[in-house]
């Protein structure tokens, strides 16, 4: 039953009233109200209400039909509002405050300025002049850009005599294209701009093509964009073909966003790790105009950045003084929000030199906690794909720990616990869970070899030694377990890709066929069943790691010259799979890259950047974007066309 009754409204009226239609001022603050408590049928009787105080409650949105035709002043401070577009139902609103609603951003301020034509005061500030600019100048500029985009790219695509299906198709393409490509104003307002561009584009199509107008567009993502990216000078790039395929990747952006002290002169900060944000089925961060994730988290130096790969916008930036971040990882937690409802949110874990894991709720732009995981630096972290709260941390203390990070409540209270400690003989550099049994086996590439552990939690043993170590060919043709493995990833459910910096080679090998030779028994040394070797740089430099795109059968690895080697292995994986159970002989020739993306000519302060090492290169799951992290504080973003 709703907390709000007729009796409560009469009692809370200022002054108290005997009839609902006589109430002009109403104080409903500090009642623990949730959205479901705002009954439109009851509120529709408040025909002359002018001032409403809903502060210090638990509201996450407004119902769309409260029917308060005379409302002039609204206070929503200290709630949990996620969207402001429903406020357009109060057209006479003159004063609005919604401070301390963590999900609302500068973009929402601009939305209400546009939607509420009579608004004068927003959060205590006179916004008359700015609001006029938003409603007139901003709208005029965007309308001009939307119209020009149609004239240049879409007008000729629609035949003079067109069918309804053709119109529907062109509308879908135009709305997606115009939201992606029409840019105006600072990057901090890109979400508001996309929202207005979509609205303007729909109005334009309705007028020019006679289409039905969607008068109630869905609310889009809310992103707190508080950092401007810094770019190097215009690049020229070239691609060297090594194999049959040309993937036609083009350089989009070169960003210098991890600079120490925001200095443009910083070309020394090393960038180490990047991972694409998972898409949410519903929630604040899903972008309505893309079908794959284009937001990537990167780390290096004292900062973690969130970057929109398409626009090159630095959406968020988190800094920790005296830290050097080495690794980031995403998980999606189902959190309880207001009204006892559950909602999925992406959580980012970041760790590095201080041995501390920072936990960041990205949609709320809030680092809500930390785990003091190790006394020495953390080299890498990763989440379990099957248990969203399970986080592995690999440290220079020669231990890999498994943590349950818990799920924060609505006040961000959480409890983390250590579930397991894996003992390592040398420093672990890269870790990977076996796709077919991620709750049972973990692989680690270490300074002294490649190892596997049984991580099944039904065992009583909380501290465990490794279960297997793998042998690989050495430079002189013999086999060895003693080599630095600084690259490790699964290409598919069975094929492992590992890079050994000492002999400077990349091997593809079978997890199942290698591990099956172990059989039952105590710790054993196992010969890796090698499937192939990739042709790569002859450098002996360490820590230039690799990555995979399983959906496209691709492997990526950078080199000491700033180039990215890309391998298309789709023609090989089928043969390896069909040979299951047999020991495949190693291919005589190394597999060449399908293409090498060469580092472009970038100039900073008039001088060309030299000695660019590619520390890491990662694609999104659909291989639309490539993010390249370098030793010279530059994040390069390429797009596959």
């Amino acid at each position: 039953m709703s907390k709000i009754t007729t009796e409560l409204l009469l009692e809370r009226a200022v002054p108290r009233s005997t009839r609902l239609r006589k109430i002009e001022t109403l104080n409903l603050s500090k009642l623990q109200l949730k959205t479901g408590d705002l009954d439109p049928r009851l509120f529709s009787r408040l025909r002359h209400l002018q001032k409403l105080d809903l502060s210090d409650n638990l509201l996450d949105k407004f119902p769309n039909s409260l029917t308060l035709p005379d409302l002039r002043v609204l206070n929503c401070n200290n709630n949990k509002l996620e969207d402001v577009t429903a406020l357009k139902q109060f057209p006479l609103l003159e004063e609005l405050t919604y401070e301390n609603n963590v999900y609302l951003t500068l973009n929402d301020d601009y939305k209400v300025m546009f939607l509420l034509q009579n608004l004068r005061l927003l959060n205590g500030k006179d916004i008359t002049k700015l609001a006029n600019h938003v409603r007139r100048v901003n709208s005029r500029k965007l309308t001009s850009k939307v119209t020009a985009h149609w004239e240049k790219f879409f007008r000729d695509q629609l035949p003079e005599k067109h069918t309804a299906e053709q119109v529907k198709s062109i509308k879908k393409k135009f709305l997606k294209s115009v939201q992606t490509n029409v840019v105006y104003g600072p990057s901090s307002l890109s979400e508001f701009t996309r929202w207005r561009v979509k609205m303007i584009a729909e109005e334009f199509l309705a007028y020019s093509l006679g289409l039905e107008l969607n008068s109630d567009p869905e609310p889009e993502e809310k992103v707190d964009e508080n950092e401007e990216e810094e770019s190097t000078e215009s690049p020229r790039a070239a691609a060297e073909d090594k194999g049959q395929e040309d993937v036609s990747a083009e350089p989009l952006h070169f960003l210098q966003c991890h600079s120490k002290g925001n200095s443009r002169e910083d070309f020394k900060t090393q960038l180490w790790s990047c991972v694409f944000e998972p898409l949410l089925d519903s929630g604040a961060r899903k972008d309505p105009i893309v079908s794959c994730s284009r937001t990537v988290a990167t780390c290096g130096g004292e900062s973690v950045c969130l970057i929109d790969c398409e626009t090159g916008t630095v959406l968020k930036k988190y800094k920790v003084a005296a830290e050097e971040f080495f690794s980031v990882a995403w998980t999606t937690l189902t959190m309880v929000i207001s009204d006892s409802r559950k909602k999925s949110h992406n959580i980012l874990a970041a760790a590095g030199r201080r041995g501390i894991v920072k936990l960041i709720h990205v949609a709320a732009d809030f680092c809500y906690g930390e785990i003091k995981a190790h006394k020495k630096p953390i080299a890498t972290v990763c989440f379990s794909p099957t248990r969203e709260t399970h986080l592995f941390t690999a440290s220079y203390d020669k231990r890999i720990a498994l943590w349950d990070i818990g799920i924060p409540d609505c006040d961000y209270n959480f409890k983390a616990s250590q579930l397991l400690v894996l003992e390592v003989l040398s420093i672990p550099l890269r870790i990977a869970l076996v796709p077919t049994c991620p709750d049972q086996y973990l692989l680690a590439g270490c300074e002294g070899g490649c190892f596997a552990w049984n991580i099944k939690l039904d065992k009583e043993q909380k501290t465990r030694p490794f279960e297997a170590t793998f042998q690989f060919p050495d430079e002189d043709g013999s086999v060895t377990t003693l080599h630095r493995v600084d690259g490790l990833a699964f290409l598919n459910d069975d094929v492992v890709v590992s890079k050994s910096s000492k002999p400077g080679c990349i091997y593809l090998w079978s997890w199942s066929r290698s591990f099956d030779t172990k059989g039952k028994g105590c710790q054993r040394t196992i010969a890796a069943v090698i499937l192939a070797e990739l042709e790569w740089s002859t450098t002996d430099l360490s820590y230039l790691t690799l990555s995979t795109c399983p959906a496209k059968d691709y492997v990526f690895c950078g080199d000491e010259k700033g180039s990215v080697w890309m391998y298309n292995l789709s023609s090989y994986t089928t043969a390896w799979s069909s040979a299951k159970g047999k020991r495949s002989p190693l291919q005589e020739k190394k597999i060449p890259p399908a293409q090498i993306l060469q580092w472009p000519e970038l100039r900073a302060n008039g001088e060309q950047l030299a000695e660019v090492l590619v520390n890491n290169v990662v694609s999104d799951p659909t291989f639309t974007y490539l993010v390249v992290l370098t030793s010279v504080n530059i994040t390069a973003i390429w797009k596959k066309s």
Side-chain angles (χ1 to χ4, degrees):
M1 185 176 177
S2 173
K3 292 181 180 180
I4 300 181
T5 62
T6 299
E7 292 72 26
L8 177 69
L9 293 178
L10 295 173
E11 181 183 325
R12 284 278 186 151
V14 183
R16 289 192 181 189
S17 179
T18 56
R19 299 182 68 180
L20 293 180
R21 64 181 301 170
K22 289 186 176 182
I23 298 175
E24 293 186 359
T25 302
L26 185 60
N27 184 349
L28 296 178
S29 66
K30 299 179 181 178
L31 292 175
Q32 298 290 298
L33 296 179
K34 299 176 181 177
T35 298
D37 294 318
L38 305 183
D39 183 357
R41 290 174 298 178
L42 190 56
F43 273 74
S44 67
R45 297 165 63 188
L46 299 167
R47 304 295 298 174
H48 299 290
L49 184 66
Q50 294 191 25
K51 296 182 180 180
L52 175 60
D53 187 349
L54 288 167
S55 61
D56 300 292
N57 283 299
L58 303 172
L59 303 174
D60 62 349
K61 62 181 179 180
F62 278 93
N64 281 318
S65 52
L66 283 186
T67 319
L68 301 174
D70 209 21
L71 190 66
R72 309 299 173 100
V73 179
L74 177 61
N75 183 348
C76 306
N77 288 347
N78 298 305
N79 277 277
K80 298 185 177 182
L81 294 175
E82 300 177 11
D83 182 54
V84 296
T85 52
L87 294 175
K88 68 181 179 182
Q89 67 185 297
F90 311 129
L92 299 184
L93 208 59
E94 298 174 359
E95 299 180 21
L96 171 65
T97 54
Y98 50 58
E99 294 178 308
N100 296 322
N101 284 266
V102 296
Y103 297 113
L104 299 184
T105 71
L106 180 64
N107 290 276
D108 296 291
D109 295 351
Y110 274 65
K111 286 182 181 180
V112 295
M113 281 188 272
F114 173 77
L115 291 171
L116 301 172
Q117 298 290 309
N118 291 314
L119 195 66
R120 296 182 296 103
L121 293 176
L122 178 60
N123 295 326
K125 297 179 180 177
D126 187 336
I127 49 88
T128 306
K129 186 175 180 181
L130 178 58
N132 285 334
H133 177 86
V134 171
R135 296 164 193 152
R136 292 176 176 82
V137 179
N138 183 282
S139 294
R140 189 168 62 247
K141 292 279 189 182
L142 291 178
T143 300
S144 174
K145 285 175 174 283
V146 167
T147 305
H149 193 75
W150 170 267
E151 293 293 325
K152 184 174 182 180
F153 299 108
F154 286 88
R155 187 183 66 174
D156 295 337
Q157 292 187 29
L158 195 64
E160 188 173 342
K161 294 183 178 179
H162 46 260
T163 65
E165 196 60 35
Q166 288 174 319
V167 171
K168 183 179 179 182
S169 175
I170 205 79
K171 176 184 178 182
K172 183 178 179 181
K173 291 178 182 177
F174 178 59
L175 289 179
K176 180 177 179 179
S177 177
V178 79
Q179 288 179 86
T180 304
N181 294 293
V182 170
V183 180
Y184 177 68
S187 60
S188 58
L189 290 173
S190 62
E191 194 250 318
F192 165 76
T193 299
R194 281 207 304 272
W195 177 79
R196 279 293 290 133
V197 163
K198 182 182 179 183
M199 192 183 299
I200 291 168
E202 288 184 327
E203 291 170 354
F204 170 78
L205 291 177
Y207 176 76
S208 57
L209 299 180
L211 298 181
E212 184 178 344
L213 182 62
N214 179 8
S215 60
D216 189 22
E218 295 180 3
E220 299 179 15
E221 65 170 305
K222 303 166 191 59
V223 180
D224 179 14
E225 304 164 335
N226 48 27
E227 288 288 338
E228 293 285 345
E229 71 275 14
E230 295 182 18
S231 301
T232 52
E233 294 174 29
S234 300
R236 288 198 301 112
E240 176 189 346
D241 292 337
K242 295 288 285 188
Q244 297 292 318
E245 182 185 7
D246 178 4
V247 297
S248 302
E250 297 293 334
L252 279 187
H253 310 285
F254 292 81
L255 309 176
Q256 191 185 354
C257 52
H258 287 270
S259 300
K260 193 170 184 178
N262 293 326
S263 170
R264 289 178 177 268
E265 308 302 317
D266 180 5
F267 293 100
K268 294 183 179 179
T269 293
Q270 300 251 19
L271 309 182
W272 295 111
S273 174
C274 63
V275 61
F276 277 83
E277 181 177 12
L279 285 178
L280 295 173
D281 291 334
S282 61
R285 292 200 51 76
K286 184 168 182 180
D287 194 316
I289 62 170
V290 291
S291 57
C292 65
S293 175
R294 70 185 203 189
T295 306
V296 70
T298 60
C299 74
E302 64 185 11
S303 61
V304 174
C305 292
L306 254 70
I307 301 169
D308 181 326
C309 290
E310 183 65 34
T311 64
T313 303
V314 180
L315 303 172
K316 298 175 187 288
K317 188 171 182 177
Y318 307 94
K319 288 186 179 180
V320 178
E323 178 64 282
E324 183 180 4
F325 286 106
F326 293 149
S327 187
V328 284
W330 289 102
T331 191
T332 303
L333 300 183
T334 302
M335 299 163 60
V336 177
I337 56 175
S338 59
D339 217 6
S340 298
R341 292 184 299 115
K342 293 183 177 180
K343 189 171 184 179
S344 295
H345 283 288
N346 285 331
I347 302 297
L348 185 67
R353 190 170 296 281
R354 296 170 66 202
I356 295 172
V357 178
K358 295 283 187 179
L359 299 172
I360 303 167
H361 183 187
V362 174
D365 198 16
F366 182 47
C367 180
Y368 69 85
E370 62 181 34
I371 301 171
K372 295 179 180 177
H374 300 270
K375 293 183 179 179
K376 289 192 175 182
I378 296 173
T380 187
V381 298
C382 80
F383 279 99
S384 165
T386 57
R387 304 190 185 192
E388 66 275 10
T389 63
H390 285 194
L391 175 70
F392 290 89
T393 57
S395 170
Y396 281 61
D397 63 11
K398 300 180 183 178
R399 296 188 311 152
I400 299 171
L402 170 59
W403 303 86
D404 188 328
I405 67 169
I407 297 179
D409 62 20
C410 57
D411 295 318
Y412 291 103
N413 298 309
F414 75 103
K415 185 178 181 181
S417 57
Q418 190 181 83
L419 304 178
L420 207 57
V421 173
L422 310 178
E423 296 175 333
V424 195
L425 297 180
S426 59
I427 296 173
L429 302 172
R430 306 282 178 255
I431 55 180
L433 292 160
V434 178
T436 54
C437 46
D439 295 328
Q440 184 164 5
Y441 288 108
L442 177 137
L443 269 179
C446 307
E447 288 282 4
C450 187
F451 301 86
W453 286 263
N454 188 325
I455 57 171
K456 208 165 185 180
L457 289 176
D458 60 1
K459 294 177 176 290
E460 293 182 6
Q461 194 178 10
K462 297 301 181 187
T463 302
R464 299 179 191 173
F466 67 89
E467 187 159 315
T469 179
F470 296 89
Q471 285 182 325
F472 294 87
D474 205 350
E475 291 171 285
D476 58 8
S478 60
V479 293
T480 181
T481 59
L482 301 175
H483 57 116
R484 178 186 292 122
V485 178
D486 59 3
L488 183 72
F490 275 85
L491 179 61
N492 53 35
D493 283 353
D494 184 58
V495 177
V496 187
V497 189
S498 63
K499 175 175 161 287
S500 305
S501 61
K502 188 173 182 181
C505 62
I506 300 173
Y507 284 122
L508 294 105
W509 51 285
S510 169
W511 158 260
S512 61
R513 278 174 258 174
S514 302
F515 202 69
D516 284 350
T517 64
K518 178 180 181 296
K520 295 181 179 179
C522 56
Q523 290 180 9
R524 288 190 53 180
T525 299
I526 300 172
V529 178
I530 308 291
L531 304 172
E533 184 178 350
L534 301 182
E535 178 188 321
W536 186 64
S537 168
T538 56
T539 182
D540 58 0
L541 285 174
S542 304
Y543 314 127
L544 310 180
T545 195
L546 57 80
S547 70
T548 60
C549 181
K552 302 294 183 181
D553 289 322
Y554 260 85
V555 174
F556 308 98
C557 193
D559 67 12
E560 78 286 4
K561 298 178 182 178
S563 299
V564 176
W565 300 54
M566 305 193 302
Y567 307 85
N568 183 354
L569 301 172
S570 55
S571 61
Y572 298 93
T573 52
T574 304
W576 294 333
S577 178
S578 62
K580 201 167 185 178
K582 303 174 185 176
R583 290 183 65 87
S584 304
L586 179 61
Q587 232 175 262
E588 290 184 12
K589 292 184 179 180
K590 297 179 181 180
I591 298 176
Q595 191 173 354
I596 298 177
L597 300 180
Q598 295 185 327
W599 187 251
E601 298 174 11
L602 291 182
R603 295 184 176 275
N605 300 326
E607 297 183 6
Q608 189 168 335
L609 289 173
E611 297 182 12
V612 178
L613 309 181
V614 174
N615 291 331
N616 203 344
V617 53
V618 173
S619 81
D620 68 289
T622 63
F623 188 17
T624 302
Y625 303 99
L626 270 179
V627 179
V628 180
L629 303 183
T630 69
S631 61
V632 293
N633 188 31
I634 290 178
T635 303
I637 300 174
W638 297 69
K639 185 176 183 180
K640 181 182 174 185
S641 57

